[in-house]
């Protein structure tokens, strides 16, 4: 009966398991849903920490709302807030322990993390935290080991116990691993085993090392010394110690059969855990060295998991399973026999999952479900359940929940019964702990697959279209294509349980939109995805077998045909490996080029062309042979492409493919695709597009109602190939126009019409026969009905009888026999303009200053302008000057102000004048009527410069200045101001004198001037508004009777023109000149209208080929002519130039003479400063002579004398009387060297770098006297004796007469 109930429960579990399969989805993909906690990351169960670093115990969990965390330590609550060394990371359960103030071992223990929210509680594994340990070896010295040759030997390692256990290896003093072999090997426990020892095994540095991997530290045992002796050596050694007594027998170690050193006895046992590594070891001794072999009783070794190590002494099986239990035999054998040992292996198993850990459940209210926690182990593990961390037997009772051993069955669950269940499976060798939540939700369907996702597959391949869904209850999935007309069931569609739709062999017609519909009792959800079936990638031109000479260049081609929407990449391999990293290998877009080929380049080259969906490969072999002379490479144009093929034909596009022709040693750079329209332009080829030379296909966009024929041309460095043969004709069907004319405009040519114009469509844009246009217009302001006319294939239409300058809305639509174009855009225009009918009102002028006035007016209303407002024009003219001396002007001037202005400035007006003006508006047609003419007066301004300034009657201390009033008086002249100042020879100006002169004066005589002095004069006129610019002039008074020539002769000017003389025919008057240091100053009066005035001058009596020189005056009334040559006379005249069709106006010529010598230079010998300078120099020379004479009489030494004394041999020097020492040869009055000499304390002269020698600079070194008696032999430096002899010869004081002569010669 009990067995039957158990069987019923199993059947119920199987049934419910099928019901709940589809609900196990990752809830983290959905937002807004509640979710119990789930542990997502935790530290390992056995957590060994590094004592040198902070401890981090991980615990991460997710849930909605986000869970809170707590910890237990050694089974009790761990209050983190009470330990200052421990803190928890924010939004996480991870603990961080600071060990800077506390040892790490203080925190060893068993930790468990709990994550909870209002829907449940999840717990982590028990995390055992232990500190890594790497203890030190004892430092006890190990006694040397002395053994007889041929015996076995074991060198123990026995490292200190560490956590985790260390890795053992043997090395010598040089940190080199000790050689191991079938005779010598390291056991699993770290000891070093010798099956038999040899003399070469003697050494004193057998060192065992232990590496502790967790702390990355290495410990070293004390070195072991091994001495291997033969029998005679042992007896000799021991006899000396034990009174010639033999310790060993005379017989050497005999050869023997094997015996096992490890393991001992005939049999042993070994236990290993499932999934771990089994290592069995047999080490034997014997002479000669035995060989080890392994067998398993009743079965073979698992070949994929078995290996042998340490020269067959260790058998290793990884990932052990129960099938690896049994008896294992190891056999040791040599030529004298064998030994056997049996190891019985038993396999135990910590708990492990059979069908995976229990999975989370999402159930709708009233549904059923199952949590399964199925695991196995050896011995069989026990299973316990908990809910929210509390044993399930202590949890609140729930009638919908039933526990059956490793299964919990839920029936008719209700809202509020969500929880996290813990399944704990354990035996003697371990445990498994799993969390799984049951979430009771009522949710309408949702499709998790992204909307509008595009799936791409290659033609004839499998297509899988996802529809991952979620809902509670489980939604049902249905598929539709393009529309929801029929459900996709049966061939070629396969619907999987998870909602995925499969098409086993996809074809082009399977492309399109697919609709996935998920539905449950709470709602329906629809998702659209797309499937694109692509053409496969195929290599059209594969690399070919090549035989190439060494040193030449080879190229492998790899041209591909692929779907136009995919972009293949290319990879080259050599002998299935990467290409050599060599710059001789160049990978192009569809080729591989190798230059300067060598023998190493021979091999198989593979081209891989892959896209994001598929791949194609092709290979070719390269053979390299010795180079032979070959003719020069000939480059030619490529052959025309061939095999033009049209595929993927559509109404508006087609795909063109072709095969390239021979490149003739020059790679193709690009292909040019041309088309011929056999319907509209037969015989005319037009360029359509270009593609790179690496492509052999092109996707061409087409227009309707065209009969296409295509051809392709190839281009390389030489030029274009001949065109290919035309492709087959491809006719596109007519269609309505795709576009309307552009450039629609509306304007008028007359005041009562409207011209509507546009840019017509081309024949290629017509899309069909009988292209015409529908022209529509209406007044914009009226907003009435559109007036429509149909126009043949023209570019404009004229609407007559329109109102003047009225805004219109315009539309032009293309039409053919197959329909109309798209709705046309609205454009705007105006009917024709007419002249304005009104003038601006309230016109007035405001005078701002003597040359500027501002005109104001009221704008004309738009309706009276009758056109596009262009702006306003101000007509103004000077009626007359308010001064009686100025002529009458009537020339009108116009200033235009663009746009809608209401005022404008009139610049450049003449002061003290009467002006008239009016204002007019103008549009695109012309000007309107003028406003009433008005007048305004300009106030006085500052006058212009006087017309001329001349100097007459120069005398010793006086001269006369004459001038003419300004041409531009700009008001009533109230007087003149004259300033003058002397100018010296350095062009420095002296003090300024100023005179105020009345307005009616035109000359003045200046008295009491300095004779023979140059003066600069400045004269300007004044009005009530102030002084105007000045005219300047220079002149020199005549010298006294002793020197009657003036330093600057004044050029004789014509007789002065009276100020109010009647104006001559020439516009110039009062032309005068004045010659000064800077040049010739030319002054004049001018009253002509021309603005372009310049001065011309030429040398008098010059030959005919010399031209007049020009000097432009820029509106002034005087100019300085510079660069004139002295001693020459110049003809000077003024020229006024009007427009190009008007004659030139010349003044009368003026003769200007420039003196040959600048006579104002004065004899320097008569100047006082020069006489004073000479007297000072003479006095200085006299003082120097007196000083030299005194120094000679006192016997003072010159530097030459000092050097002579310094080089004198000490034994020839005179002895001092007071201390009986040798001293310098000098008077007793002065024992100090002269300034600048160097006399060391030891009585010798040290020659430094600054000492010069005539020997260094010339030939010969004998000392001799100069012509003036001075001794120059001191510079020779030949020998001490010569220095001494010549030094005594020159000790006589030089003659003062010679010194005087030398000084005079210097001066």
């Amino acid at each position: 009966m009990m067995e039957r109930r158990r069987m019923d429960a199993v059947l119920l579990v199987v049934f419910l398991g099928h019901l709940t399969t589809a609900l196990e989805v990752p809830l983290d993909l959905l937002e807004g849903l509640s979710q119990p906690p789930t542990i997502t990351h935790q530290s390992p169960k056995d957590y060994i920490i590094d004592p040198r670093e902070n401890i981090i115990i991980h615990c991460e969990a997710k849930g909605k709302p986000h869970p809170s965390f707590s910890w237990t330590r050694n089974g009790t609550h761990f209050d983190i807030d009470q330990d200052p060394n421990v803190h928890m990371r924010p939004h996480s359960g991870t603990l961080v322990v600071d060990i800077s103030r506390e040892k790490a071992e203080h925190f060893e223990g068993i930790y468990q993390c709990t994550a909870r929210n209002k829907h449940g509680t999840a717990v982590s594994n028990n995390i055992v935290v232990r500190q890594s340990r790497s203890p030190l070896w004892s430092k006890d010295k190990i006694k040397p080991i002395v053994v007889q040759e041929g015996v076995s030997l074991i060198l123990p390692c026995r490292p200190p116990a560490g956590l985790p256990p260390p890795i053992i290896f043997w090395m010598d003093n040089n940190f080199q691993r000790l050689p191991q072999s079938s005779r010598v090997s390291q056991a699993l426990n770290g000891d070093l085993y010798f099956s038999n020892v040899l003399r070469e095994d003697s050494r004193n540095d057998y060192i065992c090392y232990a590496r502790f991997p967790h702390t990355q530290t290495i410990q070293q045992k004390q070195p072991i010394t091994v001495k291997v002796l033969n029998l005679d050596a042992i007896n000799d050694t021991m006899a000396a110690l034990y009174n010639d007594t033999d310790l060993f027998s005379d017989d050497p170690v005999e050869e023997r059969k094997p015996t096992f050193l490890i393991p001992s006895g005939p049999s042993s046992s070994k236990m290993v855990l499932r999934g771990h590594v089994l290592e069995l070891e047999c080490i034997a001794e014997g002479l000669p060295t035995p060989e080890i072999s392994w067998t398993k009783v009743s079965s073979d070794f698992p070949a994929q998991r078995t290996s042998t190590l340490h020269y067959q002494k260790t058998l290793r099986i990884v990932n052990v399973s129960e099938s690896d239990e049994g008896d294992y035999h190891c056999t040791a054998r040599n030529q004298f026999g064998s030994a056997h040992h049996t190891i019985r292996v038993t396999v135990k198993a910590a708990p492990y999952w059979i069908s995976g850990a229990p999975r989370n459940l999402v159930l709708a209210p009233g549904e059923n479900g199952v949590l399964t926690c199925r695991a196995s182990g050896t011995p069989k593990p026990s299973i316990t359940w908990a809910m929210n961390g509390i044993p399930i037997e202590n949890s609140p009772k729930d009638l919908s929940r039933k526990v059956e051993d490793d299964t919990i069955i839920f029936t008719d669950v209700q809202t509020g019964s969500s929880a996290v269940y813990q399944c704990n499976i354990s035996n003697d060798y371990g445990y498994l702990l799993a969390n799984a939540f049951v979430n009771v939700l009522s949710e309408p369907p949702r499709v998790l697959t992204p909307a509008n996702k595009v799936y791409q597959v290659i033609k004839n391949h499998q297509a899988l279209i996802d529809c991952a869904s979620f809902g509670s209850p489980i939604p049902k999935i249905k598929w539709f294509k393009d529309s929801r007309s029929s459900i996709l069931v049966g061939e070629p569609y396969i619907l999987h349980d998870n909602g995925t739709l499969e098409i086993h062999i996809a074809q082009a017609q399977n492309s399109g939109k697919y609709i996935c519909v998920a539905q449950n009792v709470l709602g329906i959800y629809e998702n659209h995805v797309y499937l694109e079936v692509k053409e496969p990638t195929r290599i059209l031109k594969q690399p070919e077998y090549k035989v190439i000479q060494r040193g030449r260049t080879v190229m492998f081609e790899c041209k591909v045909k692929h779907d136009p929407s995919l972009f293949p990449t290319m990879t080259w391999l050599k002998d299935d490996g990467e290409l050599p990293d060599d710059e001789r290998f160049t990978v192009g877009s569809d080729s591989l080029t190798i230059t300067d080929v060598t023998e190493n380049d021979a091999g198989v080259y593979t081209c891989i062309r892959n896209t994001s969906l598929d791949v194609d490969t092709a290979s070719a072999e390269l053979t390299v042979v010795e180079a032979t002379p070959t003719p020069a490479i000939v480059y030619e144009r490529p052959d025309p492409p061939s095999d033009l093929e049209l595929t993927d034909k559509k109404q508006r596009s087609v795909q063109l493919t072709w095969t390239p022709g021979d490149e003739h040693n020059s790679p193709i750079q690009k292909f040019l695709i041309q088309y011929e329209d056999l319907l509209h332009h037969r015989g005319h080829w037009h360029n359509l597009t270009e593609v790179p030379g690496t492509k052999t296909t092109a996707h061409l966009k087409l227009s309707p109602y065209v009969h296409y024929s295509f051809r392709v041309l190839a281009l390389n460095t030489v030029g274009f190939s001949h065109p290919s043969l035309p492709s087959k004709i491809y006719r596109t069907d007519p269609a309505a126009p795709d576009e309307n004319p552009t450039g629609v405009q509306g304007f008028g040519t007359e005041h009562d019409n409207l011209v509507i114009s546009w840019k017509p469509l081309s024949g290629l844009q017509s899309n069909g026969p009988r292209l015409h246009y529908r022209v529509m217009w209406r007044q914009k302001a009226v907003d009435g009905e559109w007036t429509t006319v149909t126009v043949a294939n023209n570019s404009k239409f004229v609407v007559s009888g329109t109102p003047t300058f009225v805004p219109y809305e315009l539309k032009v639509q293309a039409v053919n026999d197959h329909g109309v174009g798209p709705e046309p855009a609205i454009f705007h225009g105006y009917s024709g303009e007419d002249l304005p009918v009104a003038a601006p009102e309230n016109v007035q002028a405001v005078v701002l200053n003597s040359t500027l006035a501002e005109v104001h007016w009221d704008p004309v209303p738009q309706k009276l302008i009758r056109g596009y407002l262009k702006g306003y024009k101000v007509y103004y003219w000077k009626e007359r000057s308010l001064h009686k001396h100025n002529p009458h002007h009537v020339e009108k001037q116009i200033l235009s102000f663009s746009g809608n202005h209401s005022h404008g400035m009139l610049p450049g007006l003449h002061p003290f004048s009467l002006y008239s003006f009016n204002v007019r508006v103008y549009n695109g047609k012309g000007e309107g009527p003028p406003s009433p003419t008005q007048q305004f007066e300009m106030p006085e301004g500052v006058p212009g410069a006087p017309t001329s300034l001349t100097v007459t009657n120069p005398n010793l201390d006086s001269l006369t200045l004459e001038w003419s009033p300004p041409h531009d008086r700009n008001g009533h002249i109230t007087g003149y101001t004259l300033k003058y100042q002397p100018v010296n020879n350095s062009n420095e100006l002296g003090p300024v004198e100023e005179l105020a002169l009345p307005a009616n004066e035109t000359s003045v005589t200046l008295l009491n001037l300095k004779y023979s002095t140059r003066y600069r004069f400045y004269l300007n006129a004044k009005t009530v508004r102030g002084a105007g610019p000045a005219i300047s002039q220079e002149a020199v008074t005549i010298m006294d009777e002793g020197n009657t020539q003036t330093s600057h002769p004044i050029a004789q000017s014509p007789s002065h023109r009276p100020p109010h003389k009647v104006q001559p025919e020439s516009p110039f008057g009062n032309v005068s000149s004045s010659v000064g240091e800077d040049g010739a100053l030319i002054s004049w009066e001018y009253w002509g209208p021309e603005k372009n005035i310049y001065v011309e001058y030429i040398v008098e009596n010059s030959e005919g080929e010399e031209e007049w020189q020009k000097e432009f005056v820029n509106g002034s009334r005087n100019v300085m002519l510079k660069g004139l040559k002295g001693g020459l006379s110049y003809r000077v005249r003024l020229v006024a130039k009007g427009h190009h069709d008007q004659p030139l106006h010349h003044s009368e010529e003026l003769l200007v003479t420039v003196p040959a010598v600048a006579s104002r230079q004065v004899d320097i010998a008569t100047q006082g400063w020069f006489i004073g300078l000479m007297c000072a120099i003479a006095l200085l020379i006299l003082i120097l002579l007196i000083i030299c004479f005194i120094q000679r009489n006192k016997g003072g030494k010159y530097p030459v004398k000092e050097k002579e004394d310094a080089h004198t041999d000490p034994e020839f020097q005179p002895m001092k009387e007071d201390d009986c020492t040798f001293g310098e040869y000098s008077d007793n009055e002065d024992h100090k060297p002269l300034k600048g000499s160097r006399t060391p304390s030891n009585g010798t002269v040290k020659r430094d770098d600054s000492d010069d020698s005539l020997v260094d600079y010339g030939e010969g070194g004998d000392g001799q006297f100069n012509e003036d008696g001075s001794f120059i032999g001191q510079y020779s430096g030949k020998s001490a004796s010569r220095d001494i002899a010549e030094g005594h010869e020159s000790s006589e004081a030089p003659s003062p007469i010679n010194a005087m002569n030398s000084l005079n010669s210097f001066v």
Side-chain angles (χ1 to χ4, degrees), residues 11-23 368 370 474 497:
L11 292 175
L12 179 61
V13 167
V14 172
F15 172 73
L16 293 176
H18 286 291
L19 292 180
T20 59
T21 300
L23 283 178
N368 304 325
V370 173
I474 304 171
D497 292 339

Side-chain angles (χ1 to χ4, degrees), residues 443-747:
E443 287 293 327
R446 302 187 194 185
V447 176
L448 305 181
T449 302
N452 300 315
K453 183 177 180 180
V454 178
Y455 292 88
Q456 295 180 335
V457 297
I458 296 297
K459 183 179 178 181
N460 297 325
H461 284 63
Q462 179 191 51
L464 295 174
I465 310 174
D466 295 328
C467 184
S469 63
F470 170 78
S472 183
I474 304 171
K476 295 182 180 179
I477 304 299
K478 297 179 181 179
W479 282 96
F480 302 89
K481 185 176 186 298
D482 296 331
S483 64
R484 299 184 59 175
S485 57
S486 60
I487 300 176
L488 300 180
V489 292
E491 285 293 335
Y493 303 106
I494 302 173
L495 181 62
H496 293 271
D497 292 339
N498 62 356
T500 298
L501 181 68
E502 177 185 351
I503 304 174
H504 188 60
I505 301 176
Q507 299 297 324
Q509 60 267 24
N510 298 130
S511 298
K513 179 174 73 174
Y514 286 80
I515 303 170
C516 162
V517 178
Q519 183 176 7
N520 66 10
V521 295
L522 299 178
I524 187 171
Y525 193 98
E526 183 176 298
N527 190 44
H528 295 182
V529 294
Y530 298 87
L531 176 64
E532 295 179 355
V533 181
K534 306 292 185 179
E535 290 294 325
T537 302
R538 293 291 179 263
I539 296 177
L540 293 180
K541 193 166 187 179
Q542 300 184 357
E544 300 175 350
Y545 172 74
K546 301 277 187 178
V547 178
I548 197 72
Q549 297 174 354
R550 183 166 53 86
R552 301 293 294 274
T553 298
V554 65
M555 183 176 71
F556 291 106
E557 291 185 289
C558 186
K559 295 186 177 180
V560 67
K561 177 183 179 182
H562 60 91
D563 193 277
S565 62
L566 300 178
F567 302 96
T569 60
M570 180 172 64
T571 304
W572 286 90
L573 303 178
K574 179 180 184 295
D575 298 329
D576 295 330
E578 293 185 355
L579 289 178
D581 186 10
D582 192 332
E583 60 183 8
R584 297 182 300 108
F585 289 75
T586 303
V587 177
S589 57
D590 58 1
S591 64
L592 170 66
T593 303
I594 309 173
T595 60
D596 193 17
V597 173
T598 66
E599 290 83 354
N600 295 330
D601 298 333
V604 177
Y605 290 84
T606 302
C607 168
I608 303 175
R609 301 300 297 261
N610 60 342
T611 67
S612 57
L613 299 179
D614 64 342
V615 63
D616 195 14
T617 62
S619 300
E621 185 178 358
L622 173 65
T623 301
V624 181
V625 298
E626 286 297 323
T628 57
T630 56
I633 299 176
V634 178
Y635 299 95
E636 296 179 0
R637 298 185 182 191
D639 289 343
S642 59
D643 302 331
L644 272 65
E645 180 182 358
L646 298 176
T647 59
D648 194 17
K649 299 177 181 179
K650 298 178 182 178
Q651 280 302 314
R652 296 297 181 95
S653 66
V654 70
Q655 183 166 291
L656 174 66
T657 59
W658 62 89
T659 300
D662 193 335
E663 297 177 342
H664 292 296
N665 302 313
S666 177
I668 295 176
Q669 298 173 346
K670 65 179 180 180
F671 292 99
L672 173 63
I673 302 172
Q674 297 179 331
Y675 73 94
E676 179 188 13
D677 184 358
L678 298 172
L679 181 62
H680 301 100
H681 299 93
R682 179 181 293 272
H684 295 274
W685 289 92
H686 308 276
N687 293 340
L688 181 59
T689 186
E690 294 178 351
V691 297
T694 58
K695 292 182 175 292
T696 57
T697 181
H699 192 75
L700 307 178
K701 294 183 178 181
L702 307 179
S703 297
Y705 194 54
V706 179
H707 295 178
Y708 284 100
S709 178
F710 302 100
R711 69 183 187 184
V712 183
L713 294 84
L715 175 70
N716 63 10
T717 55
V718 180
F720 274 105
S721 68
H722 292 293
S724 67
L725 294 176
S727 68
K728 293 181 179 179
I729 298 176
Y730 183 63
R731 298 176 176 85
T732 56
D733 296 334
D738 293 327
E739 53 188 314
N740 290 312
T742 58
V744 178
Q745 293 180 330
F747 56 91

Side-chain angles (χ1 to χ4, degrees), residues 124 145 159 199 254 290 299 414 661 763 805 830 836 947 1024 1026 1066 1122:
S124 71
I145 299 176
R199 289 291 298 275
E254 295 181 353
S299 65
Q414 299 300 318
F805 198 67
Y830 279 84
T947 306
V1024 292
S1066 172
K1122 299 181 180 181

Side-chain angles (χ1 to χ4, degrees), residues 85 110 171 233 283 307 372 438 472 505 551 588 608 700 724 764 803 845 907 957 991 1022 1160 1184 1191 1232:
N85 299 316
I110 301 174
M171 303 179 75
I283 301 177
S307 61
T372 302
V438 175
S472 183
I505 301 176
I608 303 175
L700 307 178
S724 67
L764 203 62
D957 58 354
K1022 296 186 293 183
R1160 66 183 177 95
L1184 290 175
Q1191 286 291 98
K1232 297 180 180 179

Side-chain angles (χ1 to χ4, degrees), residues 2-52:
M2 194 69 181
E3 187 66 27
R4 179 179 180 84
R5 290 179 58 190
R6 186 171 182 82
M7 182 60 68
D8 291 343
V10 171
L11 292 175
L12 179 61
V13 167
V14 172
F15 172 73
L16 293 176
H18 286 291
L19 292 180
T20 59
T21 300
L23 283 178
E24 298 171 9
V25 297
L27 290 181
D28 52 347
L29 297 178
L30 301 173
E31 297 181 359
L33 292 179
S34 60
Q35 177 178 322
T38 302
I39 302 291
T40 58
H41 178 57
Q42 56 184 317
S43 294
K45 296 178 180 177
D46 191 8
Y47 186 25
I48 299 175
I49 61 173
D50 190 335
R52 300 167 297 182

Side-chain angles (χ1 to χ4, degrees), residues 183 285 347 510 526 779 782 990 1008 1019 1079 1180 1202 1250 1262 1293:
R183 185 179 64 86
E285 65 89 21
V347 178
N510 298 130
E526 183 176 298
Q779 286 193 32
V782 177
N1008 298 324
L1019 180 69
L1180 180 60
E1202 291 178 9
S1250 64
D1262 295 335

Side-chain angles (χ1 to χ4, degrees), residues 847-868:
V847 177
L848 300 179
N849 56 41
S850 61
T851 61
L852 179 65
E854 185 175 24
V855 178
H856 293 263
W857 61 87
D858 290 343
V860 177
Q862 181 65 42
K863 63 180 180 179
L864 300 178
I865 297 176
R866 303 202 300 177
Y868 295 102

